[in-house]
Amino acid sequence: MTHNKTLKQIAIVGGGLSGVTTAYFLARAGFEVAVLERRANVAEEATFGNSGLLAPSVVQPLILPAITRTAFSNLFKNEPPILVKSGFNPSRWRWVRKSRREYQDYFSLNKQRLTRLSAYGQMLALHLQEQYALEEENSQGLLHLFRNPADAERCAGIENSLRQFELPRQQLKGQDAIREVEPAFQSVTTIAGAMYYPKDAAGNCVLFVKQLRAIAQSIGVQFHFSQSVKAVRPELGGRVSIDVAGADGDSTLTVDGVVLAAGLQNLPLLKPLGLSLPLCPVQSYNAMAAVKNLDEAPNTALFDETYRVAIARVGNRIRVSGLLGFLPRTELPHPKAITSLLKVANDYYPNAANFNTANFWSSTFALQPSGMPLVGGTTQGNIFVNTGHGAHGWAAAVGAGKLLADAMAGRETEIDSDGLLVSSVAG
């Protein structure tokens, strides 16, 4: 990655998890930073759909080996783990084919890289919570459950490749063993396998981002809300002009560098520069329900491998989030997504809450075919990207923000950045 050591003033497009964490770490590195966000506050789009997992052990690139077959069969299921609109969409299926190739060729390597990044990001996030005495809604420990033997066997193979990270884990055999680590678990659902990760955690990602925004402001970061970025234009002399539309009219901001951390909104900003990102919009779905029975509410986080759904206690509420939706963007989840979320919640904690009366919503994430985040520079030397962390990418996004800030400052990164920072995104 090429470092431009003349960068002083940095604008960040996007006030979500990636944008705010990058802003904080850049300010700590001595940059003047301004964040441009089209909403009225931070964490109101993709970040609002983050599952809240701080879980390096369970994180993996969000790609599936048989997604085409699985998606087709799901058209006829009432409780599918993947939702796909019927009909042929050439760009979507090109992305799916690339995803399948990435799985076949690079999944194990990418899993190791993502675990390295997430373990680093979890450490940073927990350190920030402790350093600034942030309000927490964290839970400790994570159950990783497998409904079918094939998933259990596949993940067992992955586990063996992760011993280098020294992440503690325990194989659980049978419901009694599960209840020893999670007494509230009262499921009668057939489980083919289970792992327990005592160092993984879950919490309130939105609350974390909002508190980190206040800290970033206290060290000089400026936040400009209701500001929609319309264009990013490299200028002579190595600076960048940013055309912004706001409530008070249009304006232009000129800075030394730009970090694009706005998910899918990055695409139209890069296109006029001859740059493209291999991103696909993918929906994730969420439910939030008030705890009804404290004794039967989860104390640890839970991750269902088949549905890729996380369940976590958030204060006096329970959050259920995940699934994959290759559907047109909507504010409310597809009815089948709601049915699937309810199935997973009721399968594991049927008496913890009245999940049928939960609040439901959907969020849209930008994902690469590899399932890896896209972080680093572009062929325009002072334009950078930080995107593609997915619904379970809290830890990875924090780690990526620190890696990018260090790279932009010309510092040696604290962990091996191989495979985590791209040297340049080309068209």
Side-chain angles (χ1 to χ4, degrees), residues 30-345:
F31 293 91
E32 297 178 37
V33 183
V35 176
L36 305 173
E37 167 56 46
R38 65 179 183 172
R39 298 277 189 155
N41 202 346
V42 297
E44 290 200 345
E45 294 197 35
T47 300
F48 198 71
N50 188 282
S51 67
L53 295 186
L54 275 169
S57 297
V58 76
V59 71
Q60 58 182 279
L62 195 58
I63 50 179
L64 302 176
I67 191 170
T68 308
R69 184 182 69 251
T70 304
F72 180 78
S73 65
N74 285 337
L75 292 173
F76 308 100
K77 291 181 178 179
N78 292 324
E79 301 163 339
I82 304 173
L83 290 88
V84 177
K85 181 179 175 61
S86 60
F88 180 71
N89 182 312
S91 62
R92 182 177 69 207
W93 291 116
R94 280 196 296 271
W95 186 92
V96 167
R97 285 196 298 271
K98 290 180 181 178
S99 180
R100 293 179 67 188
R101 287 197 296 271
E102 288 283 347
Y103 177 87
Q104 293 165 357
D105 297 339
Y106 302 110
F107 181 81
S108 179
L109 178 60
N110 285 339
K111 164 63 178 173
Q112 293 183 46
R113 289 170 171 170
L114 196 55
T115 301
R116 185 192 337 141
L117 178 63
S118 298
Y120 179 54
Q122 184 200 42
M123 179 195 71
L124 292 171
L126 295 177
H127 175 72
L128 287 169
Q129 289 180 333
E130 180 180 0
Q131 178 183 355
Y132 294 107
L134 301 185
E135 182 182 351
E136 298 179 19
E137 293 181 323
N138 289 4
S139 61
Q140 191 66 38
L142 185 142
L143 284 169
H144 190 185
L145 301 185
F146 309 97
R147 291 175 181 263
N148 61 71
D151 284 340
E153 291 173 8
R154 178 172 57 86
C155 286
I158 295 172
E159 292 289 334
N160 291 332
S161 70
L162 299 179
R163 295 186 185 279
Q164 59 182 296
F165 298 106
E166 299 182 353
L167 297 170
R169 58 197 186 277
Q170 177 185 355
Q171 186 175 3
L172 304 178
K173 296 184 178 181
Q175 301 263 356
D176 290 341
I178 295 174
R179 280 190 281 272
E180 284 185 15
V181 298
E182 174 55 285
F185 188 84
Q186 300 297 326
S187 175
V188 296
T189 302
T190 301
I191 304 296
M195 297 292 296
Y196 176 61
Y197 309 106
K199 294 297 184 181
D200 279 14
N204 189 332
C205 181
V206 172
L207 178 62
F208 173 83
V209 174
K210 289 184 175 181
Q211 292 180 102
L212 192 60
R213 169 209 166 179
I215 295 165
Q217 284 180 306
S218 73
I219 59 175
V221 177
Q222 298 181 24
F223 285 82
H224 303 277
F225 296 106
S226 301
Q227 303 292 310
S228 182
V229 175
K230 298 301 181 183
V232 175
R233 295 178 285 105
E235 300 286 358
L236 294 175
R239 305 200 81 199
V240 182
S241 290
I242 305 172
D243 295 335
V244 183
D248 298 327
D250 297 346
S251 61
T252 298
L253 174 68
T254 302
V255 293
D256 296 311
V258 176
V259 177
L260 299 179
L264 293 168
Q265 284 80 53
N266 295 335
L267 300 178
L269 298 178
L270 289 171
K271 187 175 181 180
L273 306 178
L275 301 175
S276 61
L277 304 180
L279 300 175
C280 176
V282 178
Q283 276 72 55
S284 181
Y285 305 101
N286 303 268
M288 188 76 83
V291 171
K292 182 176 66 174
N293 296 314
L294 288 174
D295 292 341
E296 301 193 48
N299 296 297
T300 66
L302 181 149
F303 188 73
D304 183 303
E305 178 67 27
T306 298
Y307 284 85
R308 303 200 63 79
V309 164
I311 302 176
R313 176 91 165 266
V314 185
N316 62 353
R317 298 161 295 165
I318 299 173
R319 182 167 187 156
V320 187
S321 55
L323 304 178
L324 286 175
F326 294 85
L327 300 172
R329 182 175 181 176
T330 58
E331 294 297 325
L332 291 176
H334 189 282
K336 285 188 175 183
I338 293 177
T339 302
S340 293
L341 290 177
L342 291 175
K343 171 182 172 52
V344 175

